[in-house]
Amino acid sequence: MKRTLLTLAAALFLLPASAQQVPEWLKEGILYHIYPSSFKDSDGDGIGDLEGIRSKLPYVKSLGANTIWLSPVFRSEFEDGGYDITDFYRIDPRFGTNSQLVQLVREAHDLGIRVCLDLVAGHTSDKHPWFRQSSEADPELQYSDYYIWSDSKDSLPTKKFVRSDAARDGNYMKNFFDIQPALNYGYLHPDPAQPWQQGYDDPGPTAVRNELKNIISFWMDKGVDGFRCDMAQSLVKGDDKQHTGTMRLWHELRSWFEAKYPEGILISEWSQPRQSLRAGFHIDLLIHNGAGTKIYRTLVCQTDDRGTKETPCFFDYEGRGQVKAFAENYRTEYEATRELGYAAMPTCSHDIWRLNRFDRNTPEQLKTALTLFLTLPAVPILYYGEEIGMRNLEDAPVKEGSYTSRNRSSCRTPMQWDDSPNAGFSTADASRLYLPIDPSPARPTVAAEERDPQSILNYVKGLIALRRQTPALGTQGAWRFVSDVEQPYPMVYARELDGQKYLVALNPSKRSATARFASEGAAAEAVYGTGDGAKYTSKNGLSTLKMKPVSAVILKITE
């Protein structure tokens, strides 16, 4: 079998050396992330669906969001919550039909909302017809080289290989769970001693890349506006800690994508913006791994993946956190990528614990944390339910592969709409729900918070509106850390554009706190926040900002 070599020099030669084009609409982007099984059930089967999402488009609009990102809706065995796909070209019947997806997109567009789908590019289900054919003994079938197989059942080259009982004499590489065989995008440096390793430009990897383009085109041609790409860094294999081969792949795909769909966007689950944005993505998710370990995790996480206590985060009520790791590492990623795209921190996601967890659970605490996520320079990404302060349910039952090193069901429970049965999520019997509703009688709901002017929901709506009305607080405004990185509370950073300057200050601790820093202006006006209490003064070239416990404020520098 022919093998080719992708050299490091060749790959680097292909990387973009200057700023890439970002669609104008994305500069005003506010993303709302929906886990479809848990958002709204329209037919009473206990599982959310496309018609349910369509019925709630006016609600998404009311938040101020202009883009929806849907976790996978393609046909699946649901052994990993939809991330084990059996047909990329069909909507799974639990969610609806292709026609219903098209109708959802059309009605969203009528409201000024774009729709992005989740693209699982790195693997399929082991029940996918491609994999079943690839498992057959005949090595010359259409899909024989769509996956990575060793050349003998006696060979398990790495821990990523799964022992197979298929007719084919070999074992296959997985991408995550054993039921998710890795698609074959080739090896960066095929090993001559391992003839089963194919190179980037060999027929198998080339066919898989073409299939990826076909999938993207199929849905973009139906009106979809872009994709969030799952495990985007995991495609080209081999000893490649810098992901050189995968960067080449995405850069080539971005060139094709931008030429064909100039208004479309690509979002990566990579958490290494200096790689992913240079490779061609418009947005990279800074989450709890990669570069996000010293950015996202030091801000909001209170346990590690095993559920055990780790170093307290910045949003710690006792005030035991630190801010230096966030300030220095976020600045590095921001300055290196601001001309390429957006290093975005979602509030959480289908894989990451909700903000309302353990002793971070009061409206004031959650408003303070949300202030950060909605005033950073990247495109904000709000996970469903965070806008009402939904609780992370630590004891939620494991469902469809949700348990890895942590129980991901805890952040996937049904949306809480009102005080009707099942919190308005579904008319099904409670025993048939996808996951249980938060049993707390004090659980937040959309209906109750819409009526309460002081609610988290109305705070989020107002903050998004302020961001939209204030260019300095948006994606084009510059970001600069202001307070002393050695003194965590309060954290203060500046947002600036066209002569306008705003300071964002956060004190999540239970104690009053004071920041002192080089003067940012003679006077400041509070334009938004959790309430009165912040006092800004400036004298002799030094600014002082005093803040009450558990508070956030946005100040406009007026002199």
Side-chain angles (χ1 to χ4, degrees):
M1 184 177 295
K2 178 184 177 184
R3 292 179 288 106
T4 59
L5 180 66
L6 170 64
T7 67
L8 177 63
L12 291 176
F13 179 78
L14 289 165
L15 299 182
S18 59
Q20 301 172 113
Q21 295 300 310
V22 174
E24 284 296 317
W25 67 265
L26 186 58
K27 295 177 181 179
E28 305 297 326
I30 307 285
L31 271 67
Y32 190 67
H33 176 197
I34 293 173
Y35 191 70
S37 294
S38 301
F39 193 63
K40 177 63 177 174
D41 171 23
S42 72
D43 57 9
D45 67 354
I47 300 175
D49 47 47
L50 294 180
E51 286 295 287
I53 295 170
R54 186 170 68 87
S55 73
K56 294 299 183 180
L57 288 174
Y59 170 74
V60 175
K61 177 76 172 179
S62 75
L63 292 174
N66 64 3
T67 308
I68 290 172
W69 151 27
L70 300 178
S71 285
V73 291
F74 305 136
R75 286 194 176 181
S76 172
E77 293 295 303
F78 291 98
E79 294 178 273
D80 183 22
Y83 286 86
D84 51 317
I85 292 171
T86 55
D87 189 343
F88 289 94
Y89 298 96
R90 292 289 183 272
I91 298 297
D92 193 272
R94 76 150 52 168
F95 298 127
T97 65
N98 286 19
S99 295
Q100 287 175 324
L101 187 279
V102 171
Q103 185 63 25
L104 167 63
V105 170
R106 286 175 179 167
E107 292 194 20
H109 287 177
D110 289 343
L111 291 173
I113 299 170
R114 290 174 166 84
V115 179
C116 294
L117 302 182
D118 217 308
L119 181 64
V120 185
H123 57 263
T124 69
S125 165
D126 61 355
K127 313 301 189 302
H128 197 295
W130 299 344
F131 185 73
R132 287 179 169 170
Q133 188 190 93
S134 181
S135 302
E136 295 180 16
D138 185 349
E140 302 301 328
L141 299 175
Q142 180 178 357
Y143 302 113
S144 294
D145 290 336
Y146 264 44
Y147 300 86
I148 300 172
W149 292 85
S150 67
D151 55 3
S152 169
K153 281 188 167 57
D154 297 328
S155 172
L156 286 171
T158 70
K159 292 181 180 179
K160 294 285 286 184
F161 276 76
V162 178
R163 194 171 297 281
S164 171
D165 60 1
R168 182 169 183 156
D169 185 18
N171 297 305
Y172 66 88
M173 179 183 282
K174 66 178 179 179
N175 213 33
F176 193 64
F177 288 133
D178 287 0
I179 50 90
Q180 293 165 321
L183 286 163
N184 181 17
Y185 292 94
Y187 275 71
L188 177 66
H189 300 295
D191 183 354
Q194 305 288 346
W196 49 268
Q197 293 185 5
Q198 298 182 26
Y200 183 90
D201 291 314
D202 282 341
T206 298
V208 174
R209 291 199 305 276
N210 288 336
E211 190 80 59
L212 184 61
K213 291 179 181 179
N214 290 341
I215 295 165
I216 291 171
S217 293
F218 183 84
W219 295 107
M220 292 294 292
D221 291 345
K222 293 186 182 325
V224 167
D225 299 285
F227 293 89
R228 176 266 191 186
C229 301
D230 181 66
M231 296 178 65
Q233 82 287 0
S234 69
L235 304 190
V236 177
K237 307 301 183 183
D239 184 13
D240 184 16
K241 294 181 180 179
Q242 296 302 313
H243 302 110
T244 307
T246 298
M247 289 176 70
R248 175 189 174 185
L249 184 154
W250 285 117
H251 177 54
E252 292 175 354
L253 190 138
R254 165 70 181 266
S255 297
W256 163 84
F257 183 77
E258 192 169 87
K260 192 171 184 180
Y261 306 107
E263 292 298 297
I265 64 166
L266 296 172
I267 306 166
S268 64
E269 182 195 33
W270 196 312
S271 204
Q272 294 283 6
R274 281 178 285 171
Q275 293 180 354
S276 58
L277 299 183
R278 192 164 293 280
F281 284 97
H282 300 88
I283 297 174
D284 186 31
L285 305 181
L286 272 172
I287 49 178
H288 59 295
N289 53 24
T293 301
K294 293 184 178 180
I295 298 175
Y296 183 92
R297 189 182 284 270
T298 59
L299 288 175
V300 302
C301 293
Q302 292 180 311
T303 60
D304 60 20
D305 283 351
R306 294 176 298 279
T308 55
K309 288 288 184 179
E310 63 176 10
T311 302
C313 61
F314 172 72
F315 288 108
D316 173 59
Y317 181 63
E318 297 295 329
R320 297 168 298 178
Q322 54 91 16
V323 76
K324 186 175 183 178
F326 163 75
E328 295 180 351
N329 288 280
Y330 185 79
R331 179 171 58 240
T332 296
E333 298 296 332
Y334 168 71
E335 291 178 352
T337 62
R338 62 179 301 189
E339 300 300 325
L340 298 172
Y342 305 110
M345 280 199 299
T347 58
C348 69
S349 77
H350 63 288
D351 280 338
I352 308 173
W353 302 293
R354 290 188 178 278
L355 292 174
N356 186 342
R357 190 170 191 237
F358 299 144
D359 58 357
R360 184 175 57 235
N361 52 37
T362 69
E364 291 76 17
Q365 287 175 301
L366 298 173
K367 288 177 185 178
T368 299
L370 287 163
T371 302
L372 171 100
F373 288 101
L374 295 174
T375 58
L376 289 173
V379 174
I381 303 175
L382 186 67
Y383 186 55
Y384 82 96
E386 292 295 276
E387 73 276 15
I388 61 172
M390 279 179 59
R391 185 164 61 104
N392 199 77
L393 297 188
E394 308 297 329
D395 58 352
V398 172
K399 181 80 171 184
E400 297 179 347
S402 64
Y403 188 82
T404 54
S405 55
R406 58 194 181 279
N407 183 6
R408 297 178 294 171
S409 288
S410 65
C411 59
R412 299 178 179 181
T413 57
M415 182 66 171
Q416 296 156 199
W417 294 103
D418 54 41
D419 290 330
S420 65
N422 300 323
F425 164 68
S426 173
T427 59
D429 184 84
S431 64
R432 297 178 59 210
L433 297 185
Y434 176 72
L435 284 168
I437 297 286
D438 182 349
S440 171
R443 67 188 176 216
T445 67
V446 170
E449 294 205 12
E450 284 181 331
R451 297 189 297 267
D452 178 4
Q454 302 304 314
S455 68
I456 300 171
L457 176 59
N458 281 313
Y459 184 86
V460 167
K461 286 182 178 181
L463 189 50
I464 289 175
L466 177 66
R467 180 185 176 103
R468 286 191 172 281
Q469 297 160 7
T470 311
L473 293 174
T475 60
Q476 304 309 292
W479 177 91
R480 177 170 49 84
F481 201 82
V482 168
S483 56
D484 183 354
V485 296
E486 302 295 345
Q487 181 182 322
Y489 304 99
M491 174 203 293
V492 185
Y493 53 86
R495 302 299 319 278
E496 301 171 82
L497 185 68
D498 296 335
Q500 289 198 328
K501 182 193 295 184
Y502 292 79
L503 299 182
V504 180
L506 311 168
N507 178 26
S509 76
K510 66 181 182 181
R511 300 177 182 84
S512 296
T514 300
R516 294 178 176 84
F517 42 88
S519 180
E520 293 289 336
E525 172 192 1
V527 296
Y528 207 79
T530 56
D532 296 333
K535 183 178 180 181
Y536 176 90
T537 57
S538 189
K539 185 177 181 181
N540 299 326
L542 182 69
S543 293
T544 301
L545 178 58
K546 297 180 179 180
M547 296 186 68
K548 288 185 175 181
V550 192
S551 62
V553 66
I554 300 175
L555 300 168
K556 181 179 181 180
I557 300 301
T558 56
E559 293 181 27

